[in-house]
Amino acid sequence: MRTPELERDLAACEGGTLHQRLEVVTKPSDAPVRYQLCLVHSNTALGPACTDAARLGFSREGVFTAQQPLEGIRGSHAIAWQRGITSVMLLVRDPSGAPNDDRTIATTPSGPQIDMSLYLPMQVRFTAVLVPPGGMSPQWP
């Protein structure tokens, strides 16, 4: 997702906490899933800063939350927060951490197979809030 609001000065948030809320409305199976949020910044040579994928996992419908200090997000030290971020990515992973995306691995008979019907279609509502140090945690509905 790319939006101009992401590219504003986020320096006040440096050292803060990223809060995530995931509402899983429909899910076709009880196969475990992990969601991982990645913040894409202007220094693409260093790659995005991604949350710990193990923090936001689920196997059923419901509401799930996670929080992670920015210092604990791999790659966040490389972000020039005064320039903001350019976009965000939401990755869907299996319990081992592998992406649940048949475009990223071999899908030939000799390679790993992903049964996408275990994961799709899935209807979710995802919200992430970056809270500056000393700021109030979001009050989720």
Side-chain angles (χ1 to χ4, degrees), residues 76-131:
S76 67
H77 66 283
I79 296 176
W81 292 101
Q82 69 278 7
R83 287 190 270 167
I85 55 178
T86 59
S87 61
V88 295
M89 297 184 302
L90 190 59
L91 306 177
V92 181
R93 299 185 175 276
D94 71 15
S96 74
N100 282 355
D101 185 342
D102 60 0
R103 295 171 298 173
T104 62
I105 65 167
T107 55
T108 63
S110 62
Q113 299 292 307
I114 296 177
D115 181 359
M116 296 305 287
S117 69
L118 296 174
Y119 307 103
L120 300 174
M122 184 170 22
Q123 181 183 5
V124 301
R125 292 182 188 98
F126 179 82
T127 305
V129 177
L130 187 54
V131 176

Side-chain angles (χ1 to χ4, degrees), residues 21-55:
R21 180 183 187 272
L22 177 69
E23 180 183 356
V24 181
V25 180
T26 62
K27 186 173 180 308
S29 75
D30 61 356
V33 179
R34 294 179 179 180
Y35 269 45
Q36 181 181 36
L37 180 67
C38 294
L39 308 173
V40 181
H41 53 98
S42 58
N43 192 349
T44 56
L46 298 176
C50 298
T51 61
D52 175 8
R55 288 188 184 255

